[in-house]
Amino acid sequence: LQRPLLRISKKKGISMRDWQPFVGLPLWVWLFVFPSLIALFCLWQGPKAAVLFAPIWRFLDKLYKAAGVLAACFMVVILLLIIGQMITRWANLTFPGSTEYAGYAMAATSFFALAYTLTQGAHIRVSVLLNLNRHTKFWLDAAAMFIAAITATYFARYAIKTNIVSEMLNDRTQGQDFVPEWLLTLVAMFGNSPAKWSEMWAKTGSDWVYTPVWLPQLPMSIGTVLLAVAIWDYLTRLLALRETQIHGESLK
């Protein structure tokens, strides 16, 4: 399976192994080198860097909160789907694809909430080693955040690549869930240049089609990208302000 997939990806101009250049530089430079240099700058400049990046931090906080709100909306969708299943069962009717839709909503809830829960201190963080020595706490925390940022960036990169491969293979769901064609075109517009939009809508019909796998995978890609950004973001805050800005809610 891997060899045919590699041949197809090469025909489409997508390599499964190398790092494609982006704006004249390899992608790994943008994903790892530049964020690391920004982190070193924050460590070097300290409070001056905090003043410089404060507007960006405020914008990112709003972005994380918006993602958290979106995750909560998908939780409500899960509730509505459960209620719909109950009503159709009582009415002796069928609700095709309800299980699949609930699974998609659950995945969207989980991934959209990743960045927000991190910033609110809701992720499980083992701090035994951090609390052993007050003098080494800062450096251990910074090292842990850096490793987490590298890992999350790799996760985000391959989540996006999964989206690309699913669209390239035209992978479809095997369940009973359907989506309207216009919805697929609407979402696909964001991945194409405006010059292609009229052609895309001209080819769009009014039928319902089996759900392409890339559509429910989109929240995974978006959520992992936000998580990677959030970890790099809070790493720079840690280095600039000399203390972690992730504070969990205290239970009384």
Side-chain angles (χ1 to χ4, degrees):
L1 177 61
Q2 186 177 7
R3 289 181 179 177
L5 186 59
L6 284 172
R7 286 197 295 268
I8 295 174
S9 63
K10 288 179 180 178
K11 290 180 181 179
K12 294 287 186 176
I14 301 171
S15 175
M16 299 293 292
R17 294 181 178 178
D18 66 345
W19 294 83
Q20 293 269 326
F22 180 74
V23 196
L25 292 174
L27 186 60
W28 61 268
V29 175
W30 296 100
L31 294 182
F32 300 106
V33 176
F34 280 176
S36 300
L37 292 177
I38 293 174
L40 289 175
F41 174 78
C42 291
L43 178 63
W44 175 43
Q45 291 295 322
K48 293 181 180 179
V51 174
L52 179 63
F53 288 107
I56 301 176
W57 291 344
R58 287 194 295 268
F59 169 77
L60 289 176
D61 284 337
K62 294 179 181 178
L63 186 62
Y64 306 145
K65 187 173 294 186
V69 171
L70 195 56
C73 292
F74 276 104
M75 288 189 68
V76 175
V77 171
I78 296 174
L79 173 62
L80 295 177
L81 287 170
I82 294 174
I83 294 174
Q85 287 177 319
M86 294 169 58
I87 294 174
T88 54
R89 189 178 297 112
W90 293 336
N92 201 21
L93 300 173
T94 59
F95 189 169
S98 58
T99 303
E100 287 78 10
Y101 295 136
Y104 300 154
M106 183 178 297
T109 299
S110 302
F111 283 100
F112 278 128
L114 284 175
Y116 180 71
T117 52
L118 171 73
T119 61
Q120 299 301 308
H123 285 188
I124 297 176
R125 303 180 74 218
V126 180
S127 57
V128 175
L129 296 179
L130 297 181
N131 296 328
L132 288 179
N133 192 322
R134 183 171 59 86
H135 301 288
T136 59
K137 180 179 181 179
F138 169 77
W139 296 106
L140 288 174
D141 200 0
M145 290 285 287
F146 180 73
I147 295 173
I150 296 292
T151 305
T153 304
Y154 264 105
F155 190 10
R157 176 191 179 235
Y158 283 100
I160 294 175
K161 184 166 285 189
T162 300
N163 257 168
I164 296 173
V165 173
S166 296
E167 191 276 334
M168 181 177 62
L169 299 177
N170 195 25
D171 197 7
R172 300 278 172 161
T173 179
Q174 297 181 358
Q176 297 181 342
D177 52 304
F178 299 88
V179 293
E181 283 191 69
W182 63 264
L183 177 61
L184 301 180
T185 302
L186 182 64
V187 177
M189 286 174 58
F190 296 97
N192 292 273
S193 64
K196 297 182 179 179
W197 289 356
S198 58
E199 181 182 354
M200 292 169 58
W201 282 106
K203 296 179 180 179
T204 302
S206 58
D207 299 331
W208 286 66
V209 297
Y210 281 104
T211 306
V213 176
W214 62 261
L215 184 61
Q217 284 176 342
L218 276 179
M220 176 184 69
S221 301
I222 298 172
T224 52
V225 169
L226 283 176
L227 176 64
V229 171
I231 298 177
W232 283 110
D233 173 20
Y234 274 76
L235 173 62
T236 59
R237 300 188 196 201
L238 170 66
L239 297 177
L241 301 174
R242 299 299 192 271
E243 62 178 359
T244 182
Q245 299 302 299
I246 299 177
H247 303 291
E249 296 182 0
S250 59
L251 300 177
K252 298 182 179 179

